[in-house]
Amino acid sequence: DSTLQPISSYTKIVQANQTHTIRLNYKPDRVSGRMEIPPALGGDRRLDELIQPGTVDFNAAEFVLRASDLKVGRVITLPIYNPQLGGRLTCRATVSRLEEITVPAGKFRCRRVDVVAGQTRQTYFFDDKFPHRLILQKLPALNIDIELFPE
């Protein structure tokens, strides 16, 4: 249930001396823009694709999930657009269970949400209390954990 219709998106990723820049503009049924990536990864390209209404920008999926009813057992399906993963994808998020986790900011009771989009898998741990702030995000393929730190 996405009501957070994207308007535009700008992403810049710098990793291992390589820069990836993505600029996207959304209309209800179309996304256009430009992706600038190293030649070894396919090089720069223009994007102009039809999308289904309600499609979520790949950077916004976390926020749409946070605003959702995160009842244990619920499966949330979102159409997303991620040009790095081939464009249009279906994101399937399963609220699997409640867990108590510890991060540098402390101990939290969280809702574990397992997400699959294409071949990408990640796990979000959202605070049990609304507005379900993100406490921990695990990206196993990249061996990255993003944790909440104290202020």
Side-chain angles (χ1 to χ4, degrees):
D1 296 325
S2 168
T3 57
L4 300 175
Q5 178 67 41
I7 298 170
S8 65
S9 172
Y10 172 78
T11 305
K12 184 174 184 177
I13 302 167
V14 179
Q15 183 179 9
N17 297 324
Q18 294 186 353
T19 301
H20 305 231
T21 304
I22 304 168
R23 290 178 176 85
L24 300 174
N25 295 300
Y26 287 89
K27 293 184 179 173
D29 64 347
R30 180 173 292 284
V31 61
S32 61
R34 183 166 178 77
M35 185 164 68
E36 299 166 4
I37 59 175
L41 298 175
D44 299 352
R45 63 179 173 256
R46 292 208 175 280
L47 304 164
D48 188 13
E49 294 187 49
L50 290 174
I51 56 174
Q52 71 184 68
T55 295
V56 175
D57 182 78
F58 67 105
N59 289 314
E62 168 198 336
F63 302 102
V64 172
L65 290 172
R66 284 182 61 190
S68 298
D69 175 13
L70 297 180
K71 179 180 175 185
V72 173
R74 182 167 185 219
V75 177
I76 301 164
T77 303
L78 300 170
I80 64 169
Y81 185 79
N82 185 335
Q84 292 178 297
L85 299 178
R88 299 174 302 243
L89 298 168
T90 297
C91 172
R92 181 180 166 92
T94 304
V95 185
S96 58
R97 63 182 172 266
L98 293 172
E99 285 188 32
E100 193 165 285
I101 62 163
T102 302
V103 295
K107 190 179 283 191
F108 297 87
R109 182 172 166 87
C110 294
R111 293 178 182 269
R112 178 186 173 127
V113 180
D114 298 303
V115 176
V116 177
Q119 299 298 315
T120 302
R121 298 181 186 288
Q122 59 185 302
T123 303
Y124 292 110
F125 293 85
F126 293 108
D127 192 345
D128 187 34
K129 298 181 186 98
F130 191 81
H132 305 301
R133 70 183 161 158
L134 182 61
I135 305 300
L136 172 65
Q137 180 179 1
K138 292 182 162 281
L139 300 126
L142 300 174
N143 198 28
I144 294 174
D145 289 353
I146 302 168
E147 301 174 314
L148 180 66
F149 275 77
E151 293 182 36

